Amino acid sequence: MADRRSRITPLRASQVYEAVLGLLREVGYDALTMEAVAARSRAGKATLYRQWGGKPQLVIAALRHRRPLRTEAIDTGTLRGDLHALVEQAGEDKLVHDARLHLGVGGAILDNTELRRSLRESVLEPVLADMAAMLRRAVRRGEVRADCPALDLVPRTLCSLIIARLLLSDEPMDVAEARRHLDGLLLPALGIHPLALAAP
Amino acid sequence: MADRRSRITPLRASQVYEAVLGLLREVGYDALTMEAVAARSRAGKATLYRQWGGKPQLVIAALRHRRPLRTEAIDTGTLRGDLHALVEQAGEDKLVHDARLHLGVGGAILDNTELRRSLRESVLEPVLADMAAMLRRAVRRGEVRADCPALDLVPRTLCSLIIARLLLSDEPMDVAEARRHLDGLLLPALGIHPLALAAP
């Protein structure tokens, strides 16, 4: 059957997903067309529809396929070390790409619950979970008080800063800027003051 | 001339702008059509094109027309009072509407510099400027040290939290949540601790 012969390989699927993620960052969800995905990945449009059904399903599959940051192995012995290592590992590319990805699907997620959930599960939640683990270790080490109200707020705040950055500034968030927010705002909110101030 | 007779009044223009802003929040920039604006504002599509030229120009005009938060008069005597008053004045509606507005245009601003600038000037910069004034007063009063590194970071961080909230959570930011971020994270980063912790 034609259907079986044209089933695409995992390698080809992964090329299609990369094309989708690239287009999401460049033109956004609404302007993304199956034609453009087909052209960029050198796949047939009919193949795309047969394999994934349509644009929403293909975008969701691409988001789920996306390789998350591997931050779960970070454990430097201090909270500051952990958070700086996380930002370092994300690197300029990831900080900018993820922000563009979120803005690219921004309009579409307003009324597409499944797309929103896919974006959150594939991009945000792994990093939020790893940051929560870093904070729990810092509490166990006595670096941060267990009742510190910022504990719950810091992981999402860091993600918000990265995501919203392209709306707030012409310069995307780079690693140096992310470090500045860690040392100047997020760690002080947790009671850690890396930028020692002279006595007042 | 037909052209002169059909020129629309400021009141009608303002109804058109409201329709545009409503649609941006509901469906986003890319899915917004001149047909939908015409239908919602009961204007003729030809009139819209004659008056504004096209969708990008109309959206930019609507963003510039948008009434900003009036926070410049807030001056309660304490930084915490000022920031809580700002969030209170924004209210649930504004916190949610502005976040939807940013996400709605998110994909489109990726490669539309003028749209991005309009959004920033009309929605963000007035509030950022008012927050900066609140912080300068707090420094003059001695509430915050002049060399506190969070001074530069707090205004954009509050805006980022509100904008990115709809991506990070199914619940939009409400006033109670915004207050929680002020007291639990932003004020502590500035050295002000409204949630007095018991001695460790």
Side-chain angles (χ1 to χ4, degrees):
Chain A
M1 263 172 65
D3 239 54
R4 288 192 61 166
R5 287 190 52 206
S6 64
R7 191 155 292 170
I8 69 175
T9 64
L11 174 63
R12 290 294 290 128
S14 136
Q15 291 164 340
V16 170
Y17 293 146
E18 286 307 314
V20 171
L21 294 172
L23 287 163
L24 283 177
R25 293 182 189 113
E26 288 164 33
V27 303
Y29 180 86
D30 288 306
L32 178 145
T33 62
M34 295 296 261
E35 284 80 3
V37 175
R40 184 169 294 197
S41 62
R42 294 164 192 268
K45 216 174 100 178
T47 309
L48 298 183
Y49 277 104
R50 197 165 45 235
Q51 191 78 16
W52 285 282
K55 170 172 146 180
Q57 299 94 317
L58 173 56
V59 167
I60 287 166
L63 287 172
R64 292 191 185 280
H65 162 82
R66 181 185 160 283
R67 187 191 307 273
L69 267 176
R70 304 278 305 202
T71 50
E72 77 279 5
I74 294 174
D75 189 2
T76 64
T78 67
L79 180 59
R80 178 168 190 251
D82 284 358
L83 290 173
H84 278 262
L86 181 144
V87 161
E88 184 73 38
Q89 189 170 319
E92 319 279 307
D93 272 6
K94 205 82 169 171
L95 293 176
V96 177
H97 277 173
D98 280 1
R100 292 185 71 92
L101 194 59
H102 279 93
L103 289 185
V105 299
I109 67 146
L110 286 178
D111 47 15
N112 186 331
T113 312
E114 198 184 349
L115 186 60
R116 176 160 56 191
R117 192 170 308 138
S118 299
L119 183 69
R120 203 178 292 160
E121 286 173 6
S122 66
V123 184
L124 291 170
E125 285 180 2
V127 180
L128 290 172
D130 291 342
M131 272 194 267
M134 292 173 183
L135 290 165
R136 281 193 303 272
R137 289 198 303 266
V139 169
R140 279 202 300 272
R141 282 189 301 255
E143 282 187 275
V144 181
R145 290 182 50 154
D147 58 357
C148 178
L151 279 170
D152 284 344
L153 310 177
V154 160
R156 282 160 189 270
T157 302
L158 182 58
C159 289
S160 299
L161 283 164
I162 293 165
I163 292 171
R165 173 73 174 201
L166 292 172
L167 288 165
L168 284 153
S169 170
D170 282 322
E171 307 292 316
M173 178 77 78
D174 61 17
V175 171
E177 264 295 284
R179 285 178 184 282
R180 201 161 79 88
H181 283 82
L182 288 176
D183 287 348
L185 189 125
L186 297 174
L187 289 164
L190 293 161
I192 297 172
H193 298 274
L195 309 173
L197 303 176
Chain B
M1 263 172 65
D3 240 54
R4 290 191 60 165
R5 286 191 51 206
S6 65
R7 191 154 292 170
I8 70 175
T9 64
L11 175 62
R12 290 293 290 129
S14 135
Q15 290 163 342
V16 170
Y17 294 145
E18 286 307 314
V20 171
L21 294 171
L23 287 163
L24 283 176
R25 293 182 190 113
E26 288 163 34
V27 304
Y29 180 86
D30 288 306
L32 179 143
T33 62
M34 295 296 261
E35 285 79 4
V37 175
R40 183 170 294 199
S41 62
R42 294 163 192 270
K45 217 174 101 178
T47 309
L48 297 183
Y49 277 103
R50 197 163 47 231
Q51 191 78 18
W52 285 283
K55 170 171 145 179
Q57 299 94 318
L58 174 55
V59 166
I60 286 166
L63 286 172
R64 292 191 185 281
H65 163 83
R66 181 185 160 284
R67 186 191 307 274
L69 266 177
R70 304 279 305 204
T71 48
E72 78 279 6
I74 294 174
D75 189 1
T76 64
T78 67
L79 179 60
R80 179 171 190 250
D82 284 358
L83 290 173
H84 278 263
L86 181 144
V87 160
E88 184 72 39
Q89 188 171 319
E92 318 279 306
D93 271 7
K94 206 81 169 175
L95 293 176
V96 177
H97 277 173
D98 280 0
R100 292 184 72 91
L101 194 59
H102 280 92
L103 290 185
V105 299
I109 67 148
L110 286 178
D111 47 15
N112 185 331
T113 311
E114 196 184 349
L115 186 62
R116 177 160 56 192
R117 192 172 306 140
S118 299
L119 183 70
R120 204 178 290 160
E121 286 174 6
S122 67
V123 183
L124 290 170
E125 285 179 1
V127 180
L128 290 172
D130 291 341
M131 271 193 270
M134 292 173 184
L135 289 166
R136 282 194 301 271
R137 289 198 303 267
V139 169
R140 280 202 298 274
R141 281 190 302 255
E143 282 188 275
V144 180
R145 289 182 52 153
D147 59 356
C148 178
L151 279 170
D152 283 344
L153 310 177
V154 160
R156 282 160 188 270
T157 303
L158 181 58
C159 289
S160 300
L161 282 164
I162 293 166
I163 292 170
R165 174 72 174 201
L166 292 171
L167 287 165
L168 284 154
S169 168
D170 282 322
E171 307 292 316
M173 178 76 79
D174 61 16
V175 171
E177 266 294 284
R179 286 179 183 281
R180 199 160 80 89
H181 284 82
L182 289 176
D183 287 348
L185 188 125
L186 298 174
L187 288 164
L190 293 160
I192 296 172
H193 297 274
L195 308 173
L197 303 176

